[in-house]
Amino acid sequence: MLKKKISPSMMCADWMNLGRVIETLKECGTEYLHIDIMDGVFVRNYTLGTDYIKALHRATDIPLDIHLMITEPSDRIGWFEIRQGDYVSVHVEADRHIQRTLAAIRAAGGRPMAALNPGTPLCFLEEILPDIDAVLIMTVNPGFAGQKLVPGTLDKIARLRRMLDEAGRPDIEIEVDGNVSFENAVKMSDAGANIFVCGSSSVFSKGGDISGNIKKLRESLTAV
Ligand code: DX5
Ligand code: ZN
């Protein structure tokens, strides 16, 4: 059973108090910081960027979970400062040479993660299992916070877990990203996810403070 890990979506953090947010996340034992990179083409939005990644690397030792929602990632991996142990996810829909890009992430010291939009079938992963440490299942259509779960993605998580275990890769982690609310996180965990990208639906929800929200989320994930 893979450890349940929390990866707060930093695009949803209070940008005016980022230092304090990062301190709190560190105190809460947050396993990753999720960094959404968007180019306005692969998704119709811009969010965080290359300098933001560098600033976080200097501000904290929490590993980053860099989500590249960009076209032509193979040409742009070198734009990003990747620290040993950072996850870097690229969308299989965005890259004609996905295997080469995943290998380049590993060569740069990162942990490669393949990302799939809700409409992309799991068979896109068949030939790249040797090249990844994790799969990112988008549980919303990417680009914006505050969206609602695409219901069919829960079954997709379960099918993926079975597919990975049957392929002899129980070590490959499953990350979920999008409307990871306190309720949805439990369903996603039961289906087989173990890394939770938490944004406005949970960790940064207005319903409580960060520490209390993380405590509530961890308790719901470990409840039998
Ligand atoms: C979606 C973003 C996520 C997430 C934000 O493209 O990548 O970071 O949806 O969190 P929620 O969905 O809870 O607002
Ligand atoms: Zn993301």
Side-chain angles (χ1 to χ4, degrees), residues 5-65:
K5 302 170 188 173
I6 290 176
S7 185
S9 178
M10 297 307 285
M11 69 183 265
C12 300
D14 174 0
W15 291 29
M16 297 300 119
N17 293 286
L18 212 43
R20 190 169 48 75
V21 168
I22 293 168
E23 270 171 35
T24 304
L25 293 174
K26 178 71 177 174
E27 286 159 12
C28 294
T30 305
E31 286 82 4
Y32 293 98
L33 300 180
H34 189 80
I35 316 297
D36 285 316
I37 303 290
M38 303 179 186
D39 66 359
V41 178
F42 185 73
V43 292
R44 311 310 257 175
N45 195 3
Y46 295 109
T47 45
L48 310 172
T50 51
D51 287 348
Y52 184 89
I53 286 173
K54 287 179 187 162
L56 280 191
H57 276 151
R58 274 136 203 82
T60 182
D61 62 356
I62 302 175
L64 303 188
D65 169 24

Side-chain angles (χ1 to χ4, degrees), residues 9 11-12 36 67 69 138 142-146 177-179 197 199-201:
S9 178
M11 69 183 265
C12 300
D36 285 316
H67 179 191
M69 288 168 272
M138 287 307 300
F144 300 89
D177 183 358
N179 195 208
V197 175
S200 65
S201 308

Side-chain angles (χ1 to χ4, degrees), residues 37-110:
I37 303 290
M38 303 179 186
D39 66 359
V41 178
F42 185 73
V43 292
R44 311 310 257 175
N45 195 3
Y46 295 109
T47 45
L48 310 172
T50 51
D51 287 348
Y52 184 89
I53 286 173
K54 287 179 187 162
L56 280 191
H57 276 151
R58 274 136 203 82
T60 182
D61 62 356
I62 302 175
L64 303 188
D65 169 24
I66 302 167
H67 179 191
L68 298 180
M69 288 168 272
I70 62 175
T71 54
E72 309 301 337
S74 55
D75 300 340
R76 304 179 185 177
I77 292 297
W79 295 7
F80 301 90
E81 185 181 80
I82 298 173
R83 185 168 59 184
Q84 194 73 28
D86 287 346
Y87 260 129
V88 180
S89 58
V90 287
H91 274 264
V92 297
E93 305 92 350
D95 197 329
R96 285 183 289 276
H97 306 292
I98 186 73
Q99 191 282 332
R100 183 170 64 192
T101 306
L102 294 164
I105 291 168
R106 179 111 42 214

